[in-house]
Amino acid sequence: MSQPGQTKSKELKITSKQVFTPEALKDDRRKVKLLYIIKTLNGASEKALTIGLYELKQKGLDLGYQFNVIGNNVFSPMLKEDVTALLYVGYLENDPQSKKLKLTSNGQEFLDGQQIEDDFKNTLAQLISDIKMKVNAIDEENRLKSRRR
C-alpha cells in the first residue's frame, strides 16, 4: 500500500542502438549473405528464416549467428537485430499479406552491387532444397493458422 503523499513513478530505461546506414551495410558480410539467402528462399517469415538458418548451421554453413533452443522454439537475438537493421534501411519489407520478409527493389539493387563468395553460393545451392522445403512448410502452417482466426 502506498503512503499518502507518495507518488508512483515509472522507470525509464534507455538503451543505445547502432545507427544503420546503407553505406555501413556494404562492409557487413553477414547481412549481405542474409539478404542473399532471403532472396534465394524467395521470402520467408522471420520464424521460418530463423529455423532455416539454424538448419544451415547444423549442416555446416555458419553465418555466425548464435541460436538458442527452448523446446521446439529456435531464436536468435543477433538475427533479429540484423533483420531489424535491414528493415530499417529499406532493403527488406514485411509483406502484410503473406507475413514474409522479402527484398525490396532497393535491397535487390544493393545485393546486385555486392560481391558474394562463390564457395558460399555453391554450399548454399547444395543445402537450400532441404531448407526451402522446411521454410515453406513453416510458412504454410502459419498461413493456415492465421486463416482460421
Side-chain angles (χ1 to χ4, degrees), residues 37 52-62 124 127 131:
I37 289 172
L53 290 174
Y54 176 73
E55 294 279 327
L56 285 174
K57 185 174 184 172
Q58 301 301 315
K59 294 176 186 287
L61 186 62
D62 187 359
L124 181 63
L127 300 173
I131 304 309

Side-chain angles (χ1 to χ4, degrees), residues 32-45:
V32 171
K33 289 177 180 177
L34 179 60
L35 277 176
Y36 183 78
I37 289 172
I38 293 169
K39 177 189 173 192
T40 305
L41 290 170
N42 198 21
S45 67

Side-chain angles (χ1 to χ4, degrees), residues 2-145:
S2 62
Q3 300 293 320
Q6 279 186 330
T7 59
K8 290 184 179 182
S9 65
K10 291 191 176 189
E11 209 171 295
L12 178 64
K13 185 178 179 183
I14 299 174
T15 57
S16 61
K17 289 273 187 196
Q18 181 181 350
V19 175
F20 295 104
T21 62
E23 291 75 39
L25 293 180
K26 285 180 183 169
D27 299 327
D28 193 331
R29 302 312 302 157
R30 188 173 69 202
K31 287 183 185 72
V32 171
K33 289 177 180 177
L34 179 60
L35 277 176
Y36 183 78
I37 289 172
I38 293 169
K39 177 189 173 192
T40 305
L41 290 170
N42 198 21
S45 67
E46 202 169 321
K47 177 182 178 182
L49 179 64
T50 303
I51 292 170
L53 290 174
Y54 176 73
E55 294 279 327
L56 285 174
K57 185 174 184 172
Q58 301 301 315
K59 294 176 186 287
L61 186 62
D62 187 359
L63 294 184
Y65 291 110
Q66 299 298 315
F67 293 95
N68 301 317
V69 182
I70 298 175
N72 288 336
N73 294 326
V74 178
F75 61 98
S76 170
M78 293 167 70
L79 175 60
K80 177 88 173 137
E81 212 168 276
D82 283 359
V83 166
T84 301
L86 292 168
L87 286 165
Y88 178 78
V89 295
Y91 289 168
L92 282 181
E93 64 184 354
N94 218 330
D95 185 305
Q97 212 131 33
S98 67
K99 306 283 190 244
K100 287 184 177 183
L101 295 167
K102 293 186 175 183
L103 266 69
T104 62
S105 54
N106 286 346
Q108 183 61 55
E109 194 177 307
F110 169 77
L111 192 57
D112 290 343
Q114 298 301 306
Q115 195 66 38
I116 298 173
E117 302 82 27
D118 285 337
D119 59 333
F120 172 78
K121 285 182 177 180
N122 294 336
T123 305
L124 181 63
Q126 291 171 356
L127 300 173
I128 199 70
S129 61
D130 294 344
I131 304 309
K132 210 172 197 173
M133 284 175 41
K134 191 163 206 161
V135 166
N136 289 339
I138 292 166
D139 284 341
E140 185 61 22
E141 182 184 332
N142 288 341
R143 191 182 67 77
L144 292 172
K145 281 181 184 174

